[in-house]
């Protein structure tokens, strides 16, 4: 039984993975046309696979052509060659495997995988990572070796091909090339001197990772909110050039290289038509990634390559971007009936290792490949997840460590962070012993406040000691030309020896300040993650909010709070929030749309005792307005635990925009949030006026306070002379540079006024 026939039989028998699923929500009955669609796309995948089969009687390497006889250090050396042999799948190293044995100038030898490719070019010359993109052939199919040398001098390359059936191995004659010195900084690695930061392997200089996620492109036809003209990597990277150092690009969620074709696409040069299922890699999309890496190299950006997204495990229906389109699914010729089996099924794990090999073979040459990030927006790992992560972490390092450093990480939290080479930065504190990276900083979709929030997030996280901070979404950054703010942070950290010596959380505080009257502090905690907007249970129920850390995301909180109607109960949760309130204030729920009939109440159970019920006015499905969107629960200063629920026999659901903590602050010195890191001879401090920003000004309509006569005290410094630099966050430049003497480990800094925010740098002379 071929794959297409088997798939239709599975659908007809009800073995479709949709029908098993507690992973995301209750199963829905597949649409009547699912069977024919599955058959059609499996037939399309078979067509793709057949074109790659070879049946030469003799295994032979020929037509070897080097890209150059001399290349600079950390620049690409490429061999193209032909390979005759007998195999069905050139992407499967179990059928045909080609490696290069490279002897370096010091006599050491490394093994680098080679790969098969079919060149394509975008039909209009622009580079996009998205579905439904048109391409044209860009050359003849063939094999490639890509390698960037790390030692100056003569290198010798021998290609070795191994065929499985019939078993045969051949080697090429030696090929030599010369690697010459260059000014390229090298690959990114975890610092050898301070493991909380990254550095370049070639010159040992700091790599501070900051920039926008540019995960994909979207056309204005499909996503009008992204603005005009439609996005391309030429446009985004061109605008970001000279400003940012890092980005995240997704090889998932419509940027897959391994997936199933779209059944209703007939044009063979449409990117949807290039998918062949498991262990066959879309050569149109792969060619786009070639261009993305080349452009990143030219612009000086380093890419965190995201390989998976939690959407790929969702069971909400026959959606191409979810489990229904996943090549591991049995209906697509894969091995798994349920998404979680990807982590336990040996064939699925082997298939993932093969994809990692192809990724490292094709793009591992590039110093712009900074890190690999697995399973975006996933949180709680099971023992099976952890076992899978250990295997893939070890496999990537076994492939690459001899010839380049590579950083491997995951969005799975808790124990998974012990496996990762870098940590997902938490709201407060740092995961010890490795770089902490903010991959998607808190942001607002309110265009009036987006840039102000962006600046606060990148500066706050830099001053917390994070090794990198990146921001979402790129189209809002592009539409507001906000790229320069990443460059401001990079200019500020220049001269700080973050990767050369130990830095720690600063002992810094505002000892005095003045302000007219009292002020109110406001912070937001917003739902975050790819939990579906409808018919899905939250993955988390307990949340800790840090009232001193500014606005933050609640990972795993569902966008909706479900009530007591019988058809909502399986999605219903009662989230509990724990926090410390510095002054008297309120916990406020900001609601959007809601639905339900009869008596409905939003109920807060406070500190396991007091029950406060607020009625929700109206019936049916309705939108809130400025007068009905906020529901406030007054609280006294102190520690609190608040459990929230939607009550009433016919209570249906409410959409939660965000939660607000609002409290009175009468001490002016506490109106400035202070973030900072210090070494013995340097310090980086960021101060934020907490009465400013979207929440106090935009949402609550409060007037920000200007905080004057600020006295900042920084302790635990070595005695001596220091330069004191005041730096404008808004303008990205020095305001002043003065000198100060440190005695007894303390430096006192005077700041005339803080309107919104300011940065301070102390440099031992």
């Amino acid at each position: 039984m071929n794959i297409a026939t088997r798939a239709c039989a599975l659908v007809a028998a009800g073995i479709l993975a949709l029908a098993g699923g507690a992973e995301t929500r209750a199963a829905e009955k597949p649409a009547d046309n699912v069977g024919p669609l599955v058959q059609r796309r499996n037939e399309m995948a078979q067509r793709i696979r057949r074109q790659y089969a070879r049946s030469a009687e003799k295994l032979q390497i020929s037509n070897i052509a080097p890209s150059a006889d001399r290349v600079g250090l950390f620049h690409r050396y490429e061999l193209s060659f032909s390979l005759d042999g007998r195999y069905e799948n050139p992407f499967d190293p179990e059928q045909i495997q080609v490696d290069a044995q490279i002897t370096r100038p010091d006599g050491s030898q490394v093994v680098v995988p080679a790969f098969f490719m079919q060149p394509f070019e975008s039909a209009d010359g622009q580079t996009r990572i998205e579905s439904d993109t048109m391409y044209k052939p860009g050359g003849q199919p063939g094999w490639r070796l890509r390698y960037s040398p790390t030692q100056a001098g003569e290198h010798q390359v021998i290609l070795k091909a191994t065929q499985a059936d019939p078993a045969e191995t051949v080697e090429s004659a030696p090929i030599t090339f010369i690697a010459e010195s260059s000014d390229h900084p090298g690959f990114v690695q975890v610092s050898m001197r301070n493991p909380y930061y990254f550095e370049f392997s070639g010159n040992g200089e700091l790599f501070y990772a900051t920039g926008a996620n540019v995960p994909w492109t979207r056309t204005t036809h499909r996503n009008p909110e992204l603005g005009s003209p439609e996005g391309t990597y030429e446009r985004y990277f061109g605008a970001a050039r000279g400003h940012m150092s890092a980005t995240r690009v997704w090889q998932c969620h419509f940027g897959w290289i391994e997936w199933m074709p779209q059944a209703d696409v007939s044009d063979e040069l449409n990117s949807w038509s290039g998918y062949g299922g498991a262990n066959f890699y879309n050569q149109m999309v792969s060619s786009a990634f070639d261009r993305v890496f080349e452009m990143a190299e030219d612009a000086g950006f380093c890419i965190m390559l995201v390989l998976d997204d939690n959407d790929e495990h969702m069971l909400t229906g026959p959606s191409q971007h979810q489990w229904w389109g996943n090549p591991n699914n049995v209906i697509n010729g894969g091995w798994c009936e349920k998404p979680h089996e990807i982590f336990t099924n040996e064939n699925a794990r082997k298939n993932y290792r093969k994809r990692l090999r192809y990724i490292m073979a094709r793009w591992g040459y590039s110093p712009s490949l900074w890190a690999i990030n697995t399973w975006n927006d996933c949180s709680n790992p099971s023992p099976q997840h952890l076992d899978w992560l250990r295997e893939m972490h070890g496999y990537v390092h076994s492939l690459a460590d001899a010839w380049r450093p590579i950083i491997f990480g995951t969005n799975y939290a808790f124990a998974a962070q012990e496996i990762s080479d870098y940590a997902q930065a938490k709201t407060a504190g740092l995961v010890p012993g490795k770089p902490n990276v903010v991959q998607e900083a808190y942001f607002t979709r309110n265009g009036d406040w987006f840039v102000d929030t962006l600046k606060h997030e990148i500066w706050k996280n830099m001053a917390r000691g994070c090794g990198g901070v990146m921001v979402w979404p790129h189209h809002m950054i592009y539409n507001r030309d906000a790229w320069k703010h990443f460059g401001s942070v990079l200019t500020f950290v220049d001269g700080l020896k973050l990767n050369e010596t130990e830095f720690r959380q600063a002992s810094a505080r505002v000892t005095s300040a003045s302000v007219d009257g009292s002020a109110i502090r406001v912070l937001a905690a917003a739902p975050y993650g790819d939990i579906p907007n409808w018919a899905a249970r939250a993955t988390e129920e307990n949340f800790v909010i840090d009232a001193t850390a500014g606005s933050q995301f609640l990972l795993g909180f569902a966008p909706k709070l479900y009530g007591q109607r019988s058809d909502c109960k399986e999605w219903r949760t009662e989230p509990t929030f724990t926090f410390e309130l510095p002054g008297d204030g309120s916990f406020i729920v900001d609601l959007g749309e809601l639905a339900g009939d009869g008596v409905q109440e939003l109920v807060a159970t406070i500190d396991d005792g007091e029950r406060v019920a607020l009625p929700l006015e109206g019936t049916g499905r309705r939108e809130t307005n400025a007068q009905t969107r906020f529901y406030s629960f007054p609280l006294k200063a102190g520690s609190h635990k608040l459990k929230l629920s939607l009550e009433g026999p016919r209570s249906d659901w409410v959409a939660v925009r965000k939660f607000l903590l609002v409290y009175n602050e009468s001490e002016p010195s506490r109106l400035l949030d202070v973030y900072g890191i210090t070494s013995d001879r340097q310090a980086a401090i960021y101060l934020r006026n907490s009465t400013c920003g979207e929440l106090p000004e935009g949402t609550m309509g409060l007037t920000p306070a200007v905080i004057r006569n600020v006295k900042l005290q920084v302790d635990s410094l070595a005695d001596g002379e220091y330069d004191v630099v005041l730096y404008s966050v808004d303008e990205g430049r020095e305001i002043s540079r003065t000198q100060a003497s440190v005695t007894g480990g303390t430096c006192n800094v005077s700041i005339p006024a803080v309107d919104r925010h300011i940065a301070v740098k102390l440099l031992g002379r």
Side-chain angles (χ1 to χ4, degrees):
M1 185 182 294
N2 66 29
I3 291 174
T5 305
R6 177 172 177 242
C8 290
L10 287 167
V11 172
I15 302 177
L16 179 66
L18 298 169
E23 268 88 350
T24 301
R25 61 156 296 177
E28 290 191 2
K29 182 180 178 180
D32 292 339
N33 65 344
V34 164
L37 288 176
V38 171
Q39 181 176 8
R40 167 63 179 153
R41 69 182 184 187
N42 275 285
E43 290 170 351
M44 294 171 65
Q46 289 283 16
R47 176 185 57 79
I48 289 294
R49 296 169 185 173
R50 284 194 294 269
Q51 70 179 343
Y52 293 123
R54 299 292 184 268
S55 58
E57 293 188 5
K58 183 179 180 182
L59 183 62
Q60 181 178 357
I61 300 171
S62 61
N63 301 322
I64 300 173
S67 59
D69 295 326
R70 293 176 177 268
V71 296
L73 289 180
F74 305 107
H75 288 76
R76 182 169 79 185
Y77 172 76
E78 182 167 308
L79 286 178
S80 63
F81 58 98
S82 301
L83 182 66
D84 295 325
R86 185 179 295 274
Y87 50 85
E88 293 184 355
N89 182 1
F91 307 111
D92 187 352
E94 290 190 322
Q95 295 185 32
I96 183 71
Q97 177 171 320
V98 184
D99 294 294
Q101 179 180 286
I102 301 176
T103 303
R104 300 188 290 190
D106 66 357
S108 62
Q109 292 184 335
V110 296
V111 176
V112 180
F115 64 96
F116 175 85
M117 68 176 289
Q118 164 69 66
F120 283 90
E121 299 173 3
S122 171
D124 65 359
Q126 299 295 297
T127 307
R128 300 177 181 85
I129 301 296
E130 63 182 45
S131 60
D132 203 20
T133 299
M134 297 303 297
Y135 287 85
K136 60 184 179 182
Q140 294 299 312
W143 290 78
R144 300 288 190 276
L145 167 73
R146 291 175 177 173
Y147 173 71
S148 291
T150 60
Q151 297 180 12
E154 184 177 270
H155 292 65
Q156 182 189 83
V157 181
I158 297 175
L159 298 172
K160 180 179 179 180
T162 301
Q163 176 181 278
D165 186 17
E168 190 175 357
T169 298
V170 297
E171 292 186 358
S172 72
I175 307 106
T176 60
F177 72 92
I178 303 296
E180 300 176 325
S181 297
S182 75
D183 60 0
H184 196 290
F187 293 101
V188 175
Q189 63 186 19
V190 176
S191 171
M192 308 293 286
R193 294 159 288 183
N194 183 0
Y196 288 91
Y197 290 92
F198 302 102
E199 65 187 10
F200 291 107
S201 64
N203 61 15
E205 293 183 359
L206 172 71
F207 168 66
Y208 186 77
T210 189
N213 284 262
V214 189
W216 52 62
T217 54
R218 293 287 191 268
T219 62
T220 52
H221 172 69
R222 285 178 169 75
N223 298 81
E225 75 277 9
L226 302 193
S228 182
E230 66 184 49
T232 66
Y233 275 92
E234 284 80 5
R235 186 172 298 277
Y236 292 130
F237 279 9
R241 190 185 187 99
H243 300 299
M244 71 181 194
S245 63
T247 184
R248 289 171 82 225
V249 179
W250 286 26
Q251 210 169 77
C252 54
H253 198 64
F254 300 98
W256 312 279
I257 62 169
E258 180 190 46
W259 205 247
M260 291 300 292
Q262 180 80 22
D264 59 356
V265 175
S266 59
D267 194 321
E268 293 185 3
L269 291 177
N270 183 297
S271 57
W272 270 124
S273 299
Y275 290 107
N279 199 203
F280 283 82
Y281 308 124
N282 188 316
Q283 293 301 288
M284 288 179 268
V285 177
S286 295
S287 294
F289 275 100
D290 286 345
R291 281 292 298 138
V292 169
F293 275 100
E294 289 165 1
M295 285 188 286
E297 292 160 23
D298 185 61
F301 304 151
C302 292
I303 291 172
M304 178 179 283
L305 192 63
V306 184
L307 302 190
D308 328 272
D309 183 64
N310 71 334
D311 268 18
E312 298 170 16
H313 282 179
M314 287 184 178
L315 300 170
T316 53
S319 298
Q320 183 70 17
H321 68 288
Q322 297 183 359
W323 179 241
W324 191 71
N326 195 309
N328 290 282
N329 192 331
V330 290
I331 69 168
N332 300 320
W335 311 273
C336 306
E337 293 186 13
K338 303 281 185 67
H340 65 80
E341 294 173 11
I342 286 177
F343 298 99
T344 57
N345 183 280
E346 177 50 36
N347 286 318
R349 289 167 74 135
K350 183 188 297 183
N351 188 62
Y352 199 93
R353 294 194 299 270
K354 292 174 182 178
R355 177 153 62 106
L356 288 172
R357 175 186 165 90
Y358 190 81
I359 288 167
M360 292 307 299
R362 188 155 185 168
W363 301 292
Y365 79 89
S366 177
S368 283
L369 177 57
W370 153 41
I372 287 174
N373 174 218
T374 60
W375 297 111
N376 182 71
D377 279 345
C378 294
S379 181
N380 289 335
S382 68
Q384 292 76 26
H385 294 138
L386 296 176
D387 184 63
W388 185 95
L389 287 167
R390 291 187 192 97
E391 178 181 346
M392 301 311 163
H393 175 273
Y395 181 70
V396 167
H397 282 288
S398 71
L399 277 175
D401 280 357
W403 49 280
R404 61 151 296 164
I406 187 65
I407 313 296
F408 180 93
T410 184
N411 281 42
Y412 276 110
F414 310 115
Q417 295 303 295
E418 299 175 10
I419 301 169
S420 295
D421 297 324
Y422 68 92
Q424 298 289 325
K426 300 184 292 186
T427 302
L430 298 177
V431 175
K434 60 183 65 179
N436 286 236
V437 178
V438 181
Q439 295 180 168
E440 298 175 21
Y442 178 88
F443 72 96
T444 177
R445 294 192 183 275
N446 185 329
D448 294 336
W449 293 102
F450 176 80
V451 174
D452 181 76
T453 304
L454 179 150
K455 288 184 286 188
H456 175 54
E457 288 297 315
I458 58 179
W459 281 89
K460 173 188 75 174
N461 286 296
M462 177 279 297
R464 288 179 52 220
C466 292
V469 54
M470 290 173 283
V471 177
W472 192 279
H474 60 295
H475 71 272
M476 293 188 72
I477 295 168
Y478 177 83
N479 291 341
R480 288 154 185 80
D481 194 23
W483 308 98
K484 64 183 179 182
H485 299 296
F486 302 113
S488 294
V489 172
L490 292 172
T491 299
F492 181 82
V493 301
D494 187 34
L496 292 172
K497 299 180 179 180
L498 298 175
N499 65 312
E500 297 181 34
T501 188
E502 178 186 357
F503 275 76
R504 54 192 175 273
Q505 295 298 301
S507 175
R509 62 191 180 95
V510 174
T511 57
S512 65
S514 62
V515 67
D516 297 333
S518 62
I520 297 175
R521 292 198 60 165
V522 185
L523 68 89
Y528 192 64
D530 281 347
I531 298 173
N533 284 325
W534 173 247
R537 183 182 177 87
T539 58
E540 301 291 335
E541 292 191 57
N542 295 287
F543 304 92
V544 176
I545 301 175
D546 185 348
T548 66
S551 297
Q552 53 215 262
F553 284 126
L554 302 176
L555 184 62
F557 189 94
K560 287 184 172 64
L561 194 65
Y562 292 96
Q564 293 182 310
R565 277 180 43 158
S566 59
D567 55 352
C568 292
K569 286 186 177 180
E570 64 180 294
W571 312 315
R572 175 180 169 86
T573 60
E574 297 182 354
T576 299
F577 307 90
T578 304
F579 51 88
E580 180 83 24
L581 204 60
D584 292 348
S586 298
F587 181 93
I588 299 175
V589 185
D590 182 3
L591 295 184
E593 192 179 15
L594 65 158
D597 300 314
V599 176
Q600 295 182 90
E601 295 176 324
L602 190 64
V603 176
T605 303
I606 301 171
D607 300 328
D608 295 322
E610 182 184 7
R611 184 179 184 275
V612 180
L614 302 179
L616 302 178
E617 302 296 336
T619 60
R621 185 169 179 172
R622 63 240 186 233
E623 288 279 354
T624 60
N625 55 41
Q627 288 72 44
T628 62
R629 64 183 283 191
F630 296 112
Y631 291 79
S632 180
F633 300 94
L635 297 167
K636 292 291 186 181
S639 299
H640 293 287
K641 182 170 73 171
L642 186 147
K643 183 172 71 174
L644 199 64
S645 60
L646 180 59
E647 306 290 347
R650 292 195 54 77
S651 57
D652 197 347
W653 54 265
V654 295
V656 178
R657 289 193 179 102
K658 52 185 168 290
F659 303 102
L660 307 177
L661 284 181
V662 181
Y663 61 91
N664 296 311
E665 184 58 88
S666 58
E667 171 52 55
S669 64
R670 293 202 297 260
L671 291 173
L672 284 169
D673 293 329
V674 181
Y675 308 88
I677 50 175
T678 58
S679 67
D680 290 340
R681 299 285 297 167
Q682 293 186 332
I685 311 292
Y686 167 67
L687 293 89
R688 170 72 170 185
N689 183 339
S690 65
T691 70
C692 297
E694 178 186 9
L695 289 171
E697 296 178 82
T699 303
M700 309 299 293
L702 303 173
T703 300
V706 177
I707 304 172
R708 309 181 190 278
N709 306 313
V710 176
K711 303 296 182 184
L712 173 68
Q713 178 178 308
V714 184
D715 296 322
S716 301
L717 295 167
D719 289 353
E721 300 300 312
Y722 285 75
D723 287 334
V724 179
V725 179
L726 299 187
Y727 193 90
S728 170
V729 169
D730 292 319
E731 299 175 12
R733 63 173 182 86
E734 285 189 16
I735 300 171
S736 66
R737 182 181 287 255
T738 58
Q739 282 74 48
S741 296
V742 172
T743 56
T746 296
C747 183
N748 293 297
V749 179
S750 296
I751 304 172
V754 180
D755 291 337
R756 304 191 73 81
H757 35 213
I758 196 169
V760 180
K761 184 161 59 174
L762 305 179
L763 303 172
R765 304 183 74 184

